[in-house]
């Protein structure tokens, strides 16, 4: 019976994967990719396809690709994806090759999510066994979090829109997921590569170094170490094998070495391609400097653009520092409280970055919504889940309407669009806060089961 | 250096574009300033800044806005009057008013009290469709008034003795020219100049000169021209008529299109060179676009005779200087090689509209922003007129000016681009609401992280145990349902939960007694 259930489950998983790929291909064949690449929710100054094409044209004309304040991405991406922007196949849609690359990136990310999810689930079951809680918790009801997470990622409308809208988000997401997969499966060179590339493409995944360190040091998500000690005190069994290992520094040094190697390699490649045009300093100024100083005030689904359009010149630097410190400040408290659950910590970091970054897009939301699927078992008791779901649906429907009213019809003004962006930010805050609360509650329930007192 | 103030647009279709007046004297609307510098490269920007400030003070105009790097540009080779070390800046929306005329008049010895400046009657001048002041000082020894009969006009004038084989021009230059059937001048010209043969047209211009010093208070100089028969003529036009317009709608993106249409000149030129199969017309385009109109140079497309064509087929040379946000405008210089038989040609380029901060908008933000005129020049053709002069010692500076070979140039229209505006009344609101959202995130996340749930639950239970009454119970039920949490049943206290409590009755009686006493004592 179990085997049949598993077979049915895995069969419909592959069904769903193929259906989502076919759906993406159908959307690609619509004229001009349904104009999705011109939507501000999809393409920001960092992920826009048109800017990539412009950067490539400037590069081909022997000018610095950062010359027109147009392109703000990595020169490596320009060399890899640039030729795809101009290549045309007769009779096929204009940007077919680039769209195919995005689809492949999505599929690879989904497979990696599935593998990591299976890893996490096995680790969870093992830790429950060692805590002797297998009889008390109904394990057969555990959902296959890996499959669910992969399907959420593939079938999420946000992911589909980001893929068909020709943004570079699928590739950035793939780098982040590669890093987490490598760290979970103890493939240290792969994790280092993913981390270096993710940081190089967009600055914010740099804070994922902390979950990666915890993953490599302690292993995947597990209940707090204190519970294991208490259980062993109760049982008085000296079977040390069942205790999870303590923090080990070996893999971390290994990781540091590989990260250093990969970053030197990437910087050398960038330096070579930008030798005549100002070198690495120009690159850092145009990419990281642009992200940190929020120069471009085009509307997007975040909240920083309107703020920096309205704030007075005198306070601009102060508020820039405040907003970026908001992300940095939360790193320490979260890592202290959630150090036994590094993958969940990574999810929270990714969610906070997607919320507070300078130029968010729906591609970033797609990433953390996919990662949310890994924790369906732990987050089963999360409050406000229906409210959040309806909120996301409502915002994604209202936001294009408000944008149209403001820009194309002229009957609305910027406040309409900004309000939907703020509601979206509030929804994300509620998701993060309730998620953390639910996981801590889950740990507390385990503690009650073991020790009998809250 | 050249500075010009212009109000209105030179109508190339009616007023021609090929003669020196329209080619080198017709200017774009607003203020245009260009200067060639002799100083080393790193001093040029400082010199330009000094120049703009000085001119701004001299001419009472806001030329000092041209000092910021975002407003001026450095054309490389497509700006016809000069090349190398040149700085070009223009303010398209600068209005020219009578205040701007005063400093020019101050440069004259007698200002507007005597001399030619008496003719500059401000109301009638500024009521016209086009007026332009240009700073190019030539010193003349004597005052003269010139009347130029355009080539097109001369070709149209008909004379009775045409069958003699004499050209029409001879009729107008002979001494007894008042037997002219077409028009009559009230004053006889002192000298008549005839243009030397021109390569581009069959007819020749005629220049009449009137010397003003012969006249005085008793015999004033009053020139008048009366048409005897209605004459309509076409001034000679540029090889291709250039116009520029915006495409697209909405406040997010658009496209700039420059369209070149052939005029009757092109047809004549084409027939002249029809034996030469590989005839090519060279067109130079120089366009400056401000930084908030973000142009995508890779979207440049060329249409010849309304068919899209490959860019490399028709563009011989292109130089692009992309804009830097808030630092410098975008400059595009293109050399097009079009076939001589071309009917229409068009260049389109797409752009995104930028979003500015509230302090970067001008006072009237909803009017829009201007894209300065583009300069279309035809280096193959030169607009110059050479007049035969007997007296080479007293060379008139105006005639010397006419003889200068400058390429035929025309300016396109100034484009008005509306940009989206944020709500200007909202800075405080936006800041406070945004900071509230951030505080919400910060506070609630920290709260969740440091919360000790067990203690909290004990505290809540103790508090709930003291609660009585149905209403708080209903409220707590409602809030629990909303949160989807299973409500823990509360233990009701041993004391009764009946409505009518003895303590409550006592309280009511006390309050009523107090009210009665108050009324009694203070009535």
């Amino acid at each position: 019976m179990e085997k049949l259930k598993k077979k049915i489950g895995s069969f419909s998983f592959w069904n769903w994967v193929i259906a989502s790929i076919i759906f993406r291909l159908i959307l690609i064949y619509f004229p001009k990719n349904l104009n999705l690449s011109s939507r501000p929710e999809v393409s920001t100054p960092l992920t826009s396809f048109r800017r990539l094409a412009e950067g490539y044209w400037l590069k081909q004309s022997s000018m610095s690709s950062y010359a027109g304040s147009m392109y703000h991405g990595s020169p490596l991406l320009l060399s890899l994806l640039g030729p795809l922007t101009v290549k045309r196949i007769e009779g096929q849609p204009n940007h077919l090759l680039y769209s195919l690359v995005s689809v492949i990136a999505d599929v690879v990310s989904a497979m990696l999510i599935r593998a990591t999810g299976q890893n996490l689930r096995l680790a969870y079951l093992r830790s429950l066994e060692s805590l002797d809680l297998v009889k008390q918790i109904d394990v057969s009801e555990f959902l296959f979090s890996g499959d669910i997470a992969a399907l959420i990622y593939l079938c999420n409308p946000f992911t589909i829109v980001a893929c068909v809208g020709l943004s570079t988000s699928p590739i950035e997401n793939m780098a982040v997921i590669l890093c987490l997969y490598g760290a979970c499966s103890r493939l240290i060179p792969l994790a280092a590569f993913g981390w270096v590339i993710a940081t190089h493409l967009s600055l914010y995944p740099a804070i994922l170094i902390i979950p990666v360190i915890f993953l490599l040091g302690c292993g995947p998500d597990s209940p707090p170490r204190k519970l294991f000690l208490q259980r062993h005190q109760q049982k008085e069994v000296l079977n040390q094998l069942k205790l999870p290992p303590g923090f080990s520094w070996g893999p971390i040094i290994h990781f540091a070495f590989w990260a250093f190697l990969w970053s030197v390699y990437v910087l050398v490649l960038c330096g070579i391609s930008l030798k005549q045009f100002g070198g690495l300093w120009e690159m850092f100024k145009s990419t990281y400097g642009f992200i940190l100083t929020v120069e471009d005030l085009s509307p997007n689904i975040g909240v920083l653009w309107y703020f920096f359009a309205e704030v007075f010149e005198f306070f601009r630097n102060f508020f820039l520092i405040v907003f970026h410190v908001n992300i940095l400040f939360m790193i320490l408290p979260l890592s202290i409280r959630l150090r036994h659950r590094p993958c969940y910590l990574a999810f929270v970091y990714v969610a906070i970055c997607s919320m507070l970054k300078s130029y968010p897009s729906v591609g970033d939301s797609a990433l953390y919504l996919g990662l949310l699927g890994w924790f369906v078992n732990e987050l089963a008791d999360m409050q406000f889940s229906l409210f959040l779901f309806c909120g996301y649906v409502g915002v994604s429907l209202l936001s294009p309407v408000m944008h149209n009213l403001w820009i194309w019809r002229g009957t609305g003004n910027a406040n309409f669009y900004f309000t939907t962006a703020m509601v979206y930010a509030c929804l994300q805050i509620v998701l993060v806060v309730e998620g953390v609360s639910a996981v801590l509650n889950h740990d507390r329930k385990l503690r009650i089961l073991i020790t009998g007192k809250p | 250096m050249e500075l010009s103030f212009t109000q209105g647009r030179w109508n190339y279709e009616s007023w021609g574009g090929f003669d020196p007046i329209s080619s080198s004297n017709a200017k774009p609307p607003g203020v245009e300033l260009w200067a060639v510098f002799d100083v080393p490269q790193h001093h040029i920007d400082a010199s330009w800044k000094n120049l703009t400030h000085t001119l701004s003070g001299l001419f009472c105009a806001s030329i000092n806005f041209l000092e910021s790097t975002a407003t001026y540009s450095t054309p490389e080779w497509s700006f016809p009057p000069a090349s190398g070390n040149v700085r070009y800046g223009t303010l398209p929306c600068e209005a020219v008013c009578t205040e701007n005329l005063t400093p020019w008049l101050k440069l004259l010895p007698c200002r507007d009290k005597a001399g030619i400046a008496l003719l500059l009657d401000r109301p009638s001048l500024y009521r016209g469709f086009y007026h332009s002041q240009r700073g190019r000082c030539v010193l003349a020894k004597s005052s003269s008034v010139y009347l130029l009969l355009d080539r097109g006009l001369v070709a149209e004038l008909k004379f009775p003795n045409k069958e003699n084989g004499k050209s029409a021009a001879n009729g107008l230059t002979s001494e007894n020219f008042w037997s002219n059937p077409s028009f009559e001048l009230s004053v006889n010209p002192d000298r008549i100049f005839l243009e030397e043969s021109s390569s581009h047209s069959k007819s020749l211009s005629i220049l009449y000169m009137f010397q003003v010093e012969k006249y005085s208070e008793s015999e004033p100089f009053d020139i008048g021209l009366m048409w005897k028969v209605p004459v309509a003529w076409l001034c000679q036009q540029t090889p291709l008529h250039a116009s520029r317009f915006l495409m697209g709608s909405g406040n997010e993106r658009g496209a700039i299109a420059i369209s070149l249409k052939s005029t009757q000149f092109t047809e004549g030129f084409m027939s002249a060179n029809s034996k030469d199969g590989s005839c090519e017309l060279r067109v130079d385009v120089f366009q400056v676009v401000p930084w908030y109109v973000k142009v995508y140079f890779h979207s440049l497309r060329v249409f010849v005779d309304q068919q899209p064509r490959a860019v490399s087929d028709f563009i011989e040379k292109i130089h692009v200087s992309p804009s830097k946000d808030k630092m410098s405008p975008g400059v595009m210089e293109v050399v097009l090689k079009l076939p001589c038989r071309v009917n229409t040609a068009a260049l389109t380029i797409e752009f995104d509209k930028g979003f500015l901060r509230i302090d970067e908008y001008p006072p009237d933000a909803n009017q829009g922003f201007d894209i300065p005129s583009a300069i279309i020049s035809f280096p193959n053709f030169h607009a110059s007129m050479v007049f035969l002069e007997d007296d080479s010692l007293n060379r008139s500076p105006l005639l010397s000016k006419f003889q200068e070979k400058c390429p035929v140039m025309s300016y396109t229209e100034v484009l008005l681009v509306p940009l989206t505006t944020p709500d200007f009344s909202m800075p405080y609101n936006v800041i406070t609401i945004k900071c509230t959202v951030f505080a919400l995130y910060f506070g609630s996340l920290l709260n969740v992280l440091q919360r000790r749930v067990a203690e909290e639950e004990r505290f809540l239970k103790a508090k709930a145990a003291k609660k009585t009454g149905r209403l708080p119970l209903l409220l707590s039920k409602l809030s629990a349902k909303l949160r989807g949490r299973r409500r823990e049943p509360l233990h009701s206290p041993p004391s009764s939960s009946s409505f009518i409590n003895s303590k409550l009755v006592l309280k009511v009686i006390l309050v009523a007694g107090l009210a009665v006493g108050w009324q009694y004592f203070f009535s």
Side-chain angles (χ1 to χ4, degrees):
Chain A
M1 190 61 196
E2 271 285 334
K3 261 197 189 164
L4 190 66
K5 219 174 162 184
K6 256 195 190 164
K7 227 185 201 168
I8 293 174
S10 75
F11 176 70
S12 51
F13 169 73
W14 288 110
N15 240 6
W16 278 108
V17 168
I18 291 171
S20 70
I21 295 177
I22 290 175
F23 186 59
R24 280 173 168 79
L25 289 174
I26 290 174
L27 285 181
I28 287 170
Y29 272 86
F30 270 83
K32 282 202 188 163
N33 289 52
L34 278 177
N35 272 330
L36 280 172
S37 56
S38 52
R39 295 228 58 87
E41 292 93 359
V42 176
S43 67
T44 63
L46 293 175
T47 59
S48 164
F49 174 74
R50 252 171 134 205
R51 288 180 182 241
L52 185 75
E54 179 73 6
Y56 183 65
W57 186 91
L58 287 171
K59 185 167 154 213
Q60 295 298 98
S61 319
S62 323
M63 279 189 274
S64 164
S65 43
Y66 299 117
S69 295
M70 275 296 201
Y71 180 64
H72 295 282
S74 146
L76 299 180
L77 212 60
L78 207 55
S79 319
L80 285 172
L81 298 176
L84 295 178
T85 60
V86 286
K87 210 152 156 55
R88 301 249 183 285
I89 304 178
E90 283 303 316
Q92 303 287 338
N94 262 347
H95 302 293
L96 182 70
L97 286 173
Y98 188 89
S99 316
L100 286 179
V101 168
S102 303
V103 172
I104 292 172
D106 268 351
V107 171
V108 167
S109 312
M111 294 302 120
L112 291 174
I113 289 180
R114 180 172 188 242
T116 317
Q118 283 168 343
N119 237 341
L120 283 175
R121 187 169 172 273
L122 285 173
Y124 191 38
L125 287 175
R126 243 184 287 131
S127 55
L128 281 184
E129 263 175 46
S130 67
L131 284 175
D132 283 329
L133 287 175
V134 188
K135 297 176 209 85
Q136 284 155 301
I137 298 175
D138 194 0
V139 187
S140 63
E141 285 302 315
F142 265 21
L143 302 160
F144 288 93
S145 49
D147 291 356
I148 289 183
L151 283 183
I152 289 179
Y153 185 75
L154 270 183
C155 303
N156 194 353
F158 287 170
T159 332
I160 296 178
V161 155
C163 172
V164 174
L166 300 174
S167 80
T168 56
S169 304
I171 296 164
E172 289 172 15
N173 293 351
M174 187 173 79
V176 170
I177 292 169
L178 198 67
C179 167
L180 291 177
Y181 168 74
C184 250
S185 324
R186 300 275 171 152
L187 296 168
I188 293 175
L190 194 64
F193 178 69
W195 183 74
V196 164
I197 293 289
T199 310
H200 178 67
L201 289 178
S202 62
L203 177 61
Y204 295 93
I207 62 175
L208 288 177
I209 185 117
I210 294 174
V212 163
I213 287 177
F214 282 132
L215 270 173
L216 292 174
C218 301
D221 288 14
S222 61
R225 202 173 157 68
K226 215 164 54 172
L227 294 184
F228 289 96
L229 293 171
Q230 281 174 338
R231 192 47 137 191
H232 281 259
Q233 275 174 5
Q234 288 181 348
K235 296 269 165 159
E236 290 165 357
V237 172
L238 289 162
N239 194 352
Q240 288 293 327
L241 286 168
K242 276 203 177 170
L243 207 63
F247 196 81
S248 56
W249 285 100
I252 295 177
I253 297 178
H254 205 189
F255 174 80
F257 166 70
W258 273 104
F260 176 71
L261 212 62
W262 284 117
S263 36
V264 161
Y265 183 56
V266 162
L267 287 175
V268 160
L269 281 180
C270 293
I272 291 175
S273 64
L274 289 174
K275 209 171 18 186
Q276 305 146 295
F277 306 121
L280 284 177
W281 176 242
E282 181 69 32
M283 182 186 86
F284 284 130
K285 213 159 52 120
S286 300
T287 54
Y288 293 171
F290 179 75
I291 292 175
L292 290 174
T293 56
V294 192
E295 283 170 15
D296 192 302
L297 299 171
S298 325
N300 49 55
I301 202 123
V303 285
L304 260 62
W305 58 278
Y306 202 44
F307 188 87
F308 285 109
E310 298 269 358
V311 81
F312 304 118
E313 188 66 34
F314 186 72
F315 297 108
R316 203 182 140 78
N317 285 337
F318 169 70
F319 278 111
L320 274 174
I321 296 174
V322 163
F323 289 154
H324 286 125
V325 160
N326 249 327
I327 301 178
L328 292 175
F329 182 80
M330 276 303 168
I331 292 179
L332 194 61
L334 280 168
S335 59
I336 291 174
R337 203 69 162 84
L338 292 172
R339 64 184 179 278
H340 53 282
R341 292 186 177 278
C343 278
Y344 192 74
L345 186 65
F347 160 71
V348 176
Y349 282 169
V350 166
I352 289 177
C353 285
S354 308
M355 190 163 66
L356 300 177
K357 71 196 295 195
S358 347
Y359 304 100
S361 70
V362 290
D364 305 314
S365 309
L367 177 63
Y368 72 76
L369 286 175
L371 298 186
L372 186 68
W374 282 342
F375 312 105
V376 280
N377 299 313
E378 286 94 338
L379 294 178
D381 289 333
M382 190 165 95
Q383 299 175 17
F384 300 126
S385 43
L386 183 66
F387 168 71
L388 284 173
F389 178 73
C390 296
Y392 269 92
V393 168
V395 167
S396 44
L397 290 176
L398 270 184
S399 170
V401 171
M402 296 304 174
H403 185 251
N404 190 327
L405 278 183
W406 174 35
I407 303 267
W408 295 93
R409 287 175 199 270
T411 50
N413 65 12
N415 297 332
F416 291 46
Y417 190 66
F418 181 61
T419 308
T420 49
M422 278 230 298
V423 169
Y424 188 64
C426 288
L427 286 175
Q428 287 174 308
I429 291 171
V430 170
L431 176 71
V432 166
V433 168
E434 291 306 324
V436 170
S437 169
V439 156
L440 293 176
N441 262 346
H442 181 82
D443 282 340
R444 196 173 137 257
K445 281 209 193 93
L446 288 180
R447 197 167 73 236
I448 291 176
L449 282 175
I450 289 177
T451 57
K453 58 174 169 16
Chain B
M1 182 209 91
E2 197 173 286
L3 168 69
S4 72
F5 291 76
T6 313
Q7 179 89 357
R9 189 175 67 88
W10 183 267
N11 193 340
Y12 287 98
E13 279 161 330
S14 325
W15 305 337
F18 208 83
D19 45 295
I21 292 182
S22 36
S23 209
S24 48
N25 295 2
K27 287 291 161 192
V31 169
E32 191 204 44
L33 172 67
W34 61 264
V36 181
F37 290 92
D38 231 352
V39 296
Q41 194 73 20
H42 46 275
H43 286 321
I44 292 185
D45 285 328
S47 316
W48 170 266
K49 189 170 160 186
N50 284 339
L51 179 69
T52 49
H53 279 276
T54 317
L55 288 174
S56 174
L58 272 176
F59 290 102
C60 301
S62 31
I63 303 176
N64 56 331
F65 285 157
L66 286 176
E67 70 156 342
S68 106
T69 46
T71 43
Y72 69 86
S73 57
T74 312
E76 295 265 316
W77 33 261
S78 65
F79 189 56
S83 60
N85 277 4
V86 66
R87 294 285 186 271
Y88 175 85
T90 150
L91 294 171
C93 50
E94 178 80 6
V96 179
C97 63
T98 55
E99 267 309 307
N100 296 119
L101 188 57
T102 316
W104 295 86
L105 295 177
K106 277 202 204 149
L107 296 174
L108 295 173
C110 299
R111 303 209 187 171
D112 58 344
K113 303 279 185 267
I116 226 142
L118 265 179
L119 294 171
L120 297 171
D121 177 33
R122 284 175 179 72
S124 47
L125 201 64
Y126 285 86
R127 228 184 290 145
F129 292 129
Y130 176 87
H131 61 265
S132 176
Q133 297 146 220
R134 201 165 65 102
R136 259 287 180 94
C137 301
V138 284
L139 281 176
K141 294 201 189 77
S142 57
S143 304
S144 336
V145 173
Y146 291 89
L147 178 66
L148 176 68
L149 294 182
D150 191 57
R151 290 175 194 141
L153 172 61
V154 168
E156 284 294 323
L157 293 176
K158 295 184 183 21
F159 287 95
N161 50 356
K162 219 163 121 184
E163 60 268 18
N164 286 3
K166 284 190 237 169
S167 66
N170 281 346
L172 289 168
T173 54
S174 59
E175 286 306 317
N176 55 338
F177 82 108
W178 48 63
S179 62
N180 189 340
S182 309
F183 65 87
E184 192 180 305
L185 284 172
S186 58
V187 181
N188 270 358
D190 297 309
R191 293 182 67 185
I192 297 175
F193 295 100
L194 185 61
E195 191 193 350
E196 274 184 53
S197 63
S198 110
S199 55
H200 302 297
S201 158
K202 293 196 196 74
S203 55
L204 309 164
S205 315
I206 300 175
L207 197 64
Y208 295 135
M209 184 179 115
F210 304 85
Q211 274 181 329
V212 180
E213 49 214 10
K214 285 193 333 194
Y215 302 88
S216 59
E217 280 288 324
S218 47
E219 210 186 309
F221 176 61
D222 185 10
I223 181 171
L225 183 128
M226 273 184 308
W227 294 101
K228 291 190 198 157
V229 291
V231 181
W233 76 98
L234 259 181
C235 297
Q236 191 169 24
Q237 299 187 5
T238 49
L240 293 173
H241 174 68
S243 75
R244 194 173 67 158
F245 50 90
L246 283 175
M247 300 199 302
S249 70
N251 275 337
E252 206 179 33
R253 53 184 170 271
I256 301 176
I258 299 177
S259 103
L260 302 161
K261 280 206 201 70
S262 67
T263 56
Q264 50 29 315
F265 171 84
T266 332
E267 289 150 18
F269 182 70
M270 178 184 83
S271 57
N273 286 18
S274 53
K275 51 184 185 294
D276 192 350
S278 65
C279 150
E280 273 189 335
L281 184 59
R282 182 181 148 168
V283 182
D284 282 1
V285 175
F286 169 63
Q287 179 163 255
V288 177
V289 170
W291 66 265
Y292 37 81
V293 172
K294 296 168 199 248
V295 170
Y296 287 102
F297 291 111
H298 75 274
S299 62
L300 179 68
R301 286 160 69 186
V302 175
F303 294 82
V304 174
D305 291 330
Q306 293 173 346
Q307 295 293 322
R309 307 289 288 268
V311 162
S312 44
D313 286 344
F314 292 97
I315 292 191
E316 186 193 320
K317 205 159 61 145
I318 178 167
H319 174 255
V320 148
S321 171
S323 61
K324 258 184 111 53
D325 272 1
K326 301 186 218 327
M327 295 284 289
S328 62
V331 176
M332 183 174 83
E333 302 176 71
V334 177
V335 173
L336 282 172
K337 282 268 166 83
L338 299 169
C340 290
R341 290 167 179 275
V342 67
N343 222 357
T344 59
L347 273 177
T348 58
I349 192 161
E350 291 173 21
F351 66 87
D352 265 358
K353 298 189 190 178
F355 292 84
L356 307 173
R357 303 184 203 157
I358 51 173
D359 50 1
E360 287 169 356
Y361 282 92
D364 182 11
N366 288 303
Q367 187 202 19
F369 291 77
D370 298 286
I371 302 183
S373 304
I375 302 177
I376 315 277
S377 57
F378 304 91
N380 292 344
F381 306 95
H382 293 282
S384 64
M385 288 193 227
V386 183
F387 290 95
L388 302 162
E389 232 179 339
D390 318 319
D391 193 358
S392 53
L393 292 168
N394 284 350
R395 210 165 177 76
S396 161
L398 187 68
L399 295 183
S400 322
K401 194 124 193 316
F402 275 172
Q403 281 175 7
E404 273 173 18
K405 271 188 177 263
C406 55
V408 172
M409 232 167 58
S410 67
Y411 288 91
T412 60
E413 297 88 339
V414 169
L415 295 174
L416 191 65
V417 171
L419 292 183
T420 33
T421 56
D423 192 343
F424 293 107
S425 63
M426 290 276 284
Y428 291 112
N429 301 3
V430 167
I431 294 175
T432 50
I433 292 177
K434 188 73 198 61
C435 291
T436 308
V437 168
F438 268 77
L440 186 77
Y441 147 78
F442 192 80
S444 46
L445 194 58
L446 273 183
N447 182 26
V448 158
L449 285 176
Q450 58 81 43
R451 205 187 321 174
R452 287 169 208 242
V453 185
E455 278 183 21
E456 219 180 84
E457 278 187 348
R458 263 181 268 138
F459 176 71
L460 276 174
K461 262 199 199 146
K463 211 164 91 171
K466 294 188 208 140
K467 253 198 265 237
T468 56
R470 250 186 243 167
L471 196 59
L473 214 62
L474 275 169
L475 278 174
S476 68
K477 253 197 206 165
L478 189 66
S479 76
K481 201 153 205 137
L482 208 61
R483 291 164 126 230
R485 202 182 252 188
R486 246 177 325 145
R487 192 176 66 88
E488 283 150 15
L490 294 168
H491 300 290
S492 54
S495 58
S496 70
S497 54
S498 64
F499 245 64
I500 309 197
N501 206 350
S502 57
K503 267 194 186 166
L504 188 64
V505 171
L506 259 163
K507 277 189 198 162
V508 168
I509 291 174
L510 189 63
V511 169
L514 270 172
V516 165
W518 184 275
Q519 191 74 5
Y520 179 61
F521 276 117
F522 290 102
S523 61

